[in-house]
Amino acid sequence: MAGSRQYPDEPSGPFPAPPTTIEDREGRSIEIQAPSAFTDETLGDVVEMYTEFDPTDRAQGIPPTGEERIRNWLETIGDDSINVVARHDGDVVAHAMLVPDTDDPSAIGHDADIEWELAIFVLQAYQQAGIGTTLLENLLGHAAELGIRRVWLTVERWNNPAIALYERVGFESTGTESFEQEMAIRLGTG
């Protein structure tokens, strides 16, 4: 069911979809993948990335800290979420996800009006190298292939690099609440 959130009238895209390999600004070969599900190995790799994540870069309480809390968080959202990871030399260095904004899990995949909340995290050593942009574009491309049309996020108002990234790919500001800026994008059909 559609919420009260505002979305741009015009869709953005098309966006590329994984799998893809890029060379980042540091000359590293980065593989972008969309695991169909979190296998034990993939889940372990993503958990490992988050255990290395600098807690000062957490936003709005995520990712949680501590291996057990991270694993529980990913397992809780993992079944219904759409995930894309970036790997360097086999290690996960970035993770982006879309989580359905619905109380009715049976509607997922069947209701084009479902809104999806976006979250993206890039390990500090891999930031400012173009990985976040590529990961975000591939997540949106993958989402469009799956029929997802409406994506939203919140970002801390003072996080100018993140806001600039979201605007570059087509997100528009839709509202501000004290410390957070809400943004939304409408995806095209391809």
Side-chain angles (χ1 to χ4, degrees):
M1 178 86 105
S4 60
R5 216 166 261 110
Q6 296 295 312
Y7 287 84
D9 292 333
E10 295 298 316
S12 293
F15 296 102
T20 192
T21 301
I22 63 157
E23 184 175 302
D24 74 2
R25 289 188 195 114
E26 301 294 323
R28 299 173 291 210
S29 179
I30 305 295
E31 297 176 51
I32 308 294
Q33 304 167 335
S36 57
F38 271 160
T39 63
D40 288 342
E41 180 182 354
T42 302
L43 177 61
D45 291 347
V46 176
V47 168
E48 185 175 329
M49 182 205 94
Y50 282 119
T51 61
E52 295 176 26
F53 197 79
D54 184 345
T56 61
D57 273 0
R58 294 172 67 229
Q60 302 151 340
I62 58 172
T65 57
E67 186 174 339
E68 186 176 330
R69 286 193 301 266
I70 292 166
R71 184 174 295 278
N72 288 341
W73 170 62
L74 291 170
E75 287 174 344
T76 299
I77 62 172
D79 287 344
D80 297 324
S81 64
I82 308 301
N83 295 277
V84 176
V85 297
R87 290 181 180 269
H88 175 239
D89 289 340
D91 295 328
V92 173
V93 299
H95 173 228
M97 69 189 109
L98 295 175
V99 179
D101 189 4
T102 179
D103 293 329
D104 180 8
S106 67
I108 298 169
H110 306 288
D111 186 345
D113 284 337
I114 289 179
E115 299 173 333
W116 294 74
E117 184 176 9
L118 182 139
I120 181 172
F121 298 94
V122 179
L123 281 178
Q124 290 70 18
Y126 292 85
Q127 292 177 4
Q128 305 297 316
I131 297 168
T133 301
T134 301
L135 188 68
L136 179 57
E137 290 172 344
N138 275 263
L139 176 65
L140 295 174
H142 184 51
E145 287 180 344
L146 296 172
I148 293 171
R149 298 290 169 251
R150 298 178 331 158
V151 176
W152 67 279
L153 60 89
T154 56
V155 59
E156 293 167 336
R157 285 186 304 146
W158 53 84
N159 190 343
N160 293 325
I163 291 170
L165 164 64
Y166 299 135
E167 288 174 341
R168 269 195 312 274
V169 299
F171 279 87
E172 295 181 13
S173 296
T174 59
T176 303
E177 296 179 20
S178 62
F179 300 110
E180 298 175 348
Q181 174 70 47
E182 187 173 287
M183 303 179 82
I185 192 171
R186 183 180 305 274
L187 299 178
T189 57

